[in-house]
Amino acid sequence: MYLEKYNLTDRVTVVTGGGKNIGLACVQALAEAGAHVIIAEIDPSIAESGKQTMHQAGYEVEVMQLDVTDSYAATATADAVVEKHGKVDILVCNAGIALNTPAEEVSDEEWHKVIDINLNGVFWCCRAFGKHMKNAGNGAIVNLGSMSGIISNKPQPQSHYNASKAAVHMLTKSLAGEWAGQGVRVNAVAPTYIETEMTRIGMDKPEWFNTWLEMTPMKRVGQPDEVASAVLFLASDASSLMTGSIVSVDGGYTVW
């Protein structure tokens, strides 16, 4: 009974930024559960690399090019998925960036870049795919937030990143409230530092990394599959009573 709740056989799933790192781990987790997964990536070469990695692991996935900052592209992608497959069941909004710049040195362009990808891109995709889910009367959306949307990290400066993730959390709650009556669940995962290319810069700086570990009760960073496991839970029927939840996957970082 309980394992069956994780069965995603034939569920059409889109993962933005799904070609590598946390996104690719989510693709594999969802594919292992039986979902038909589409990697939506801005860079075709990254999408193809992710597709080949999944093929070698025994899973066939699709790829589509998508710039999440382009609202028209998000709508066109959602429409194309539904036109081809007749539905869309799951959306994972994973695409995002982090930059470390002191607030007084952040240019207008850098601020807009972070907000465009991390927040606007999430909204454009939720809006585009959410319309189809509402029309169908069911669907699950999982947004990638961050513990940085709950606390302010130190010692690295990243005010724009933190602000964008806090906004993703509130957007998640807002959409959950609006769409619950139409059968669409919207939740978010808030990870700690995960060992990826994005955090490697900080991990290579002892003055940063030692502080991260000191402030984390479990005394370690996470791995992409540990985030993907939470995403799988929120995308599946195992979390059928959950919407508007921000699930911390942070090694205990936010308990302090």
Side-chain angles (χ1 to χ4, degrees):
M1 172 183 174
Y2 291 101
L3 284 179
E4 184 59 28
K5 291 177 181 288
Y6 287 90
N7 187 345
L8 302 180
T9 299
D10 297 327
R11 296 196 191 181
V12 178
T13 302
V14 176
V15 180
T16 69
K20 62 180 182 179
N21 300 327
I22 293 173
L24 187 58
C26 291
V27 169
Q28 181 162 353
L30 295 161
E32 284 187 16
H36 177 81
V37 186
I38 300 161
I39 295 175
E41 271 283 359
I42 188 172
D43 187 333
S45 64
I46 293 176
E48 189 60 33
S49 175
K51 180 180 179 180
Q52 291 304 315
T53 298
M54 288 299 96
H55 178 73
Q56 293 168 8
Y59 303 102
E60 296 301 323
V61 301
E62 284 186 62
V63 297
M64 297 184 75
Q65 187 172 13
L66 172 62
D67 176 356
V68 298
T69 68
D70 184 338
S71 65
Y72 297 101
T75 298
T77 300
D79 292 346
V81 169
V82 173
E83 181 177 357
K84 180 175 182 179
H85 297 284
K87 63 174 183 172
V88 60
D89 300 294
I90 298 167
L91 170 67
V92 179
C93 291
N94 165 76
I97 62 169
L99 300 174
N100 302 118
T101 307
E104 71 278 11
E105 298 176 14
V106 173
S107 65
D108 291 0
E109 291 75 17
E110 182 174 315
W111 175 269
H112 285 299
K113 180 178 181 179
V114 172
I115 298 300
D116 277 346
I117 296 174
N118 291 3
L119 175 58
N120 295 345
V122 171
F123 179 71
W124 303 146
C125 290
C126 285
R127 183 180 66 179
F129 287 90
K131 286 181 180 179
H132 291 289
M133 292 178 179
K134 284 183 63 182
N135 290 338
N138 66 80
I141 296 174
V142 185
N143 295 324
L144 266 293
S146 173
M147 69 176 187
S148 304
I150 302 170
I151 51 85
S152 177
N153 307 65
K154 71 173 190 179
Q156 74 274 25
Q158 51 183 51
S159 59
H160 40 10
Y161 179 80
N162 297 351
S164 71
K165 291 302 185 177
V168 166
H169 293 177
M170 185 51 68
L171 175 62
T172 297
K173 291 176 176 289
S174 300
L175 296 179
E178 287 192 37
W179 295 346
Q182 288 76 45
V184 181
R185 298 187 301 108
V186 189
N187 293 290
V189 175
T192 183
Y193 303 106
I194 305 299
E195 190 173 0
T196 65
E197 297 162 12
M198 194 162 68
T199 57
R200 177 51 61 184
I201 295 174
M203 292 176 67
D204 288 341
K205 295 181 178 180
E207 67 274 21
W208 287 18
F209 191 48
N210 291 339
T211 300
W212 296 357
L213 296 184
E214 180 183 351
M215 296 187 69
T216 304
M218 293 182 72
K219 303 302 180 187
R220 68 178 180 88
V221 297
Q223 297 299 317
D225 66 283
E226 294 179 298
V227 180
S229 296
V231 170
L232 172 60
F233 168 65
L234 292 174
S236 74
D237 293 342
S239 60
S240 58
L241 193 59
M242 295 176 65
T243 196
S245 294
I246 312 301
V247 178
S248 295
V249 184
D250 64 2
Y253 193 103
T254 56
V255 304
W256 304 124

